[in-house]
Amino acid sequence: MKKSEYPDWLVPLKLAKKLKEIGFRNKSCFYYSFEDSSLFVFSKPENYNKKCNKDKFVTIPTWEQAFSWFRNKGYKANIDYVFHPDLKCVIGYLYEIIHDFEWEKYSSYYISYEIAREECLKSLINIYNGTNKR
């Protein structure tokens, strides 16, 4: 599948693979096939469980599904737009990750929401993976 054809409201394949590695098993309507390098859509997520060899597919969640999974694990993430009113200029986007009422990570500024969102998910994966290996 060409990158230009991949919907931007789905988590990129590279991150979807990492989510699978850390235990993301939520149902989705979108799956990627390693056999023919294509994206599959099931109208009912339960059809995936009946028809697919799970080793040959990876779940492709929406961004909201991925962030929701982390929220259910106790990790809260915020992506903020920062504007400096006195200077009347955009500073950029940043993210913060909170777990057990403590900051796990606070980012620097990014030029777009999409970049901040992707970096936030990468950080969530790394933090979660590190926490569960201890």
Side-chain angles (χ1 to χ4, degrees), residues 63-115:
W63 288 99
E64 181 54 33
Q65 287 172 315
F67 286 118
S68 176
W69 186 80
F70 280 106
R71 282 193 303 273
N72 290 333
K73 302 284 183 190
Y75 294 85
K76 311 300 185 215
N78 298 315
I79 300 172
D80 299 314
Y81 174 75
V82 181
F83 176 82
H84 195 292
D86 295 336
L87 299 175
K88 295 188 182 351
C89 69
V90 174
I91 305 295
Y93 293 85
L94 58 83
Y95 68 84
E96 60 185 351
I97 298 171
I98 300 164
H99 184 250
D100 288 335
F101 302 103
E102 292 185 21
W103 265 324
E104 288 285 334
K105 174 101 177 171
Y106 196 84
S107 77
S108 57
Y109 295 100
Y110 298 95
I111 60 171
S112 75
Y113 172 82
E114 290 76 16
I115 293 170

Side-chain angles (χ1 to χ4, degrees), residues 11 22 24 26 29 33 37 45-46 52 63 65 74-75 80 98 102 108 112 118 125-126 130-131:
V11 168
I22 65 169
F24 182 91
N26 289 15
C29 290
S33 168
S37 301
E46 56 272 10
C52 297
W63 288 99
Q65 287 172 315
Y75 294 85
D80 299 314
I98 300 164
E102 292 185 21
S108 57
S112 75
E118 185 167 337
I125 291 168
N126 290 335
T131 302

Side-chain angles (χ1 to χ4, degrees), residues 34-52:
F34 295 115
E35 288 182 331
D36 56 6
S37 301
S38 61
L39 189 65
F40 282 87
V41 179
F42 290 102
S43 58
K44 295 181 180 179
E46 56 272 10
N47 289 345
Y48 162 75
N49 292 325
K50 295 174 187 171
K51 297 181 180 179
C52 297

